[in-house]
């Protein structure tokens, strides 16, 4: 661990924000970025290389509330930069909390540990306390490529000829984007989109289609829509729904895809993951979380569940894509 703060003097706070820059042929002028942010915030701003990222350092602030306000203003400035210029910069939009030791800790006789911080996340450091960096590297969460992995991956790749099918190409692109992003929710949704793009559109059995046709005909031949405008609108919505459910829902198709590749997913995850006992339930949970993120901007699940879901969907996407690019496409069978 490395000491971050001075640990003495009047209360004062420094804001750290790590930025992961997309390596383009014309990289952004980082000193100019720091200078312009300093002008907007009326505070000193520096930027320097971190452990896999560029570290913005802002302050000092006389109060933590001022540092917190500067963080949210900075996020708005960075968002404006990324969106206005269509320039990809990865940054976390949530402040991390300091870790307060449950029991007294001492690194050296004169250096107690008041708190621990993870500089891989945005965090406010109280300079008047002894705060240590936990030493978390970006490589702990990002893919890292060792020489033997490169050799093994190319060695196991299929020598099949011809282009990949269009849907598989889309799935591969979604998978790569999911691997690249540093936002956990977007990473999760990216892996789900990868799998969704591989789902087969399956029509319902003939007896169910016949029943839907009978129901639709009864509604069309009834005079319920003539009652008033509300009844007419609702009748149209019901008819639209009947037309749309001629095929199984995407959530059902997603579950079938997972079940069709259960062996590959199990091999990728190993036997220790608890969700392997019921992959149907796992698929339902993952798709429900995907909908929560997309429609409500939240996980809708406990922290432990989020971790298990992320591990599962990453392994599932990897297993399914590898299974499709290295051999014959697995046929999605009908599974309840």
């Amino acid at each position: 661990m490395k000491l971050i703060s001075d640990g003495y003097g009047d209360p004062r706070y420094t804001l750290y924000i790590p930025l992961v820059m997309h390596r383009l042929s014309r990289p952004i002028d980082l000193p100019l970025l720091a200078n312009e942010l300093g002008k907007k915030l009326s505070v000193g701003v520096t930027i320097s290389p971190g452990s896999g990222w560029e570290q913005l350092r802002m302050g000092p602030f006389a109060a933590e509330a001022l540092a917190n306000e500067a963080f949210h203003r900075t996020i708005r400035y960075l968002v404006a930069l990324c969106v206005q210029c269509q320039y990809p910069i990865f940054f976390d939009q949530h402040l991390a909390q300091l870790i307060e030791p449950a029991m007294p800790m001492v690194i050296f006789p004169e250096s107690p540990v008041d708190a621990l911080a993870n500089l891989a996340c945005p965090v406010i450091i109280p300079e008047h306390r002894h705060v240590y960096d936990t030493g978390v590297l970006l490589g702990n969460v990002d893919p890292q490529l060792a020489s033997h992995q490169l050799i093994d991956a190319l060695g196991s790749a299929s020598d099949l000829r011809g282009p990949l099918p269009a849907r598989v190409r889309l799935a591969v692109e979604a998978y790569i984007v999911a691997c690249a992003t540093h936002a956990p929710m977007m990473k999760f949704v990216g892996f789900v989109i990868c799998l969704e793009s591989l789902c087969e559109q399956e029509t319902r059995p003939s007896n169910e289609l016949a029943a839907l046709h009978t129901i639709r005909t009864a509604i069309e031949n009834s005079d319920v829509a003539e009652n008033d405008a509300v009844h007419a609108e609702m009748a149209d919505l019901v008819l639209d729904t009947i037309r749309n459910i001629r095929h199984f829902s995407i959530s059902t198709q997603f579950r079938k895809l997972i079940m069709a590749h259960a062996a590959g997913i199990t091999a990728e995850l190993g036997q220790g993951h608890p969700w392997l006992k019921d992959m149907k339930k796992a698929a339902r949970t993952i798709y429900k979380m995907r909908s929560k993120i997309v429609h409500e901007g939240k996980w809708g699940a406990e922290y432990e569940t989020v971790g298990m879901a992320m591990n599962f969907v990453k392994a599932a996407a990897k297993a399914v894509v590898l299974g499709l690019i290295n051999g014959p496409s697995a046929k999605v069978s009908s599974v309840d």
Side-chain angles (χ1 to χ4, degrees), residues 315-327:
K318 180 178 179 180
V320 173
V321 171
L322 286 179
L324 293 176
I325 66 174
N326 285 335

Side-chain angles (χ1 to χ4, degrees), residues 58-234:
M58 307 177 179
F61 299 93
E64 184 175 3
L66 295 176
N68 188 73
E69 178 186 336
F71 169 72
H72 293 294
R73 289 177 62 193
T74 301
I75 294 302
R76 288 181 178 272
Y77 299 147
L78 292 173
V79 168
L81 172 64
C82 293
V83 175
Q84 177 70 23
C85 300
Q86 297 185 346
Y87 193 94
I89 303 175
F90 296 108
F91 51 89
D92 199 328
Q93 299 184 58
H94 301 278
L95 274 171
Q97 301 299 311
L98 296 178
I99 302 172
E100 305 281 349
M103 300 179 62
M105 293 178 59
V106 176
I107 304 298
F108 302 107
E110 300 83 16
S111 184
V113 179
D114 295 325
L116 300 172
N118 178 6
L119 291 186
C121 302
V123 64
I124 297 173
I125 303 298
E127 296 289 344
H128 52 288
R129 301 180 65 195
H130 290 95
V131 181
Y132 281 80
D133 182 13
T134 57
V136 175
L137 301 177
L138 204 62
N140 290 7
V141 293
D142 275 2
Q144 301 295 302
L145 189 64
S147 298
H148 72 275
Q149 291 175 303
L150 186 153
I151 295 170
D152 291 346
L154 294 181
S156 64
S158 170
D159 289 325
L160 294 175
R161 303 294 192 268
L164 292 170
R167 288 195 304 138
V168 177
R169 292 200 298 271
L170 177 62
V172 169
E173 291 172 0
Y175 184 89
I176 292 172
V177 170
C179 291
T181 183
H182 293 76
M185 284 187 175
M186 288 298 96
K187 186 179 290 288
F188 183 86
V189 171
F191 286 127
V192 176
I193 290 174
C194 166
L195 292 167
E196 281 184 283
S197 65
L198 296 170
C199 289
E200 299 282 353
Q201 189 177 58
E202 187 175 351
T203 305
R204 291 181 177 276
S206 58
N207 61 330
E208 294 184 6
L209 293 176
L212 288 173
H213 177 74
T214 300
I215 296 169
R216 185 187 67 196
T217 302
I219 295 174
E220 290 174 338
N221 292 338
S222 72
D223 58 359
V224 65
E226 299 176 4
N227 289 353
D228 53 41
V230 174
H231 281 75
E233 182 179 358
M234 293 300 103

Side-chain angles (χ1 to χ4, degrees), residues 17 31 45 47 64 79 102 135 197 200 203 205 221 224 230 241 245 256 265 269 281 298 316-317:
I17 303 178
V45 179
I47 191 165
E64 184 175 3
V79 168
S197 65
E200 299 282 353
T203 305
N221 292 338
V224 65
V230 174
T241 301
I245 62 174
K256 292 182 178 183
I265 296 171
L269 272 175
K281 182 179 179 181
K298 57 186 179 182

